[in-house]
Amino acid sequence: FFDHGDGSFGVGISTMPAGGSAFTPHEAVKGTSMFAHWPAIAIDAGGTVYLTWDTNERQAGTTGGCNGAETPGANSIELVYTKDLGKTWSAPITVAHPGNARVFWPWVAAGNAGNASVVWYQTEPQDGMPDLDCQTGHVHVMESSLIGATGKKPQTWTVDAAGRVVHVGWVCQGGTTCV
């Protein structure tokens, strides 16, 4: 996770050569926003590294968020991968962008080469895209299976993993700052 100091972030990995004493950063995406605290990483059986994160779009010129912050907008769960330990990265793959709900806290697991599973939380459309640090959401656990994720036409299945709401209320995005 790389903070550019201008309100945008980059996500990537750092590698250290065998016997080395310094990490080399390999940035995957530059100039994105992030809603959760960090991206999640997994490695499949073929050595492909997957990285997922959530974006934090806000509606410019509005004040409907917590403490008068900009009102949340429709955001996304994104995924990139690298087959060469971060030297080159795929273009971002949008795993989820419901358009009428907030998505957050993605995690990724990988199995056989080219296969990954991304899970995340998602509010309901009736919630009106809440700013979850101070506004109530009806939260579901979603899962997307990507088969052949590194190919030209990956197959994707997305489900509501629990089939019901798992939480109603706020969800702190700021760690102990929400106390």
Side-chain angles (χ1 to χ4, degrees):
F1 175 67
F2 306 97
D3 184 347
H4 293 288
D6 63 359
S8 70
F9 301 94
V11 291
I13 61 173
S14 295
T15 59
M16 181 168 32
S21 61
F23 284 99
T24 303
H26 296 289
E27 194 168 40
V29 177
K30 198 174 209 169
T32 187
S33 61
M34 192 171 312
F35 188 43
H37 302 36
W38 56 83
I41 298 173
I43 302 173
D44 73 18
T48 298
V49 178
Y50 300 87
L51 188 142
T52 189
W53 72 99
D54 50 8
T55 62
N56 189 23
E57 282 75 16
R58 297 285 174 149
Q59 299 174 38
T62 62
T63 58
C66 297
N67 300 316
E70 291 180 330
T71 305
N75 67 329
S76 302
I77 302 296
E78 300 287 334
L79 177 78
V80 291
Y81 63 85
T82 177
K83 294 182 177 187
D84 57 14
L85 293 177
K87 292 177 187 158
T88 60
W89 291 89
S90 70
I93 299 165
T94 301
V95 176
H97 181 82
N100 59 359
R102 290 290 279 180
V103 292
F104 61 103
W105 289 8
W107 289 94
V108 60
N112 291 336
N115 297 341
S117 170
V118 180
V119 295
W120 66 93
Y121 292 119
Q122 181 170 313
T123 63
E124 293 181 346
Q126 72 185 19
D127 298 331
M129 291 187 285
D131 194 340
L132 290 167
D133 277 334
C134 67
Q135 298 168 354
T136 295
H138 294 78
V139 179
H140 294 253
V141 178
M142 304 300 289
E143 187 273 340
S144 188
S145 296
L146 295 94
I147 308 300
T150 60
K152 292 186 188 230
K153 292 187 179 183
Q155 296 177 353
T156 304
W157 294 271
T158 301
V159 297
D160 182 330
R164 62 177 178 79
V165 172
V166 297
H167 173 75
V168 177
W170 304 355
V171 181
C172 175
Q173 302 300 308
T176 58
T177 64
C178 298
V179 177

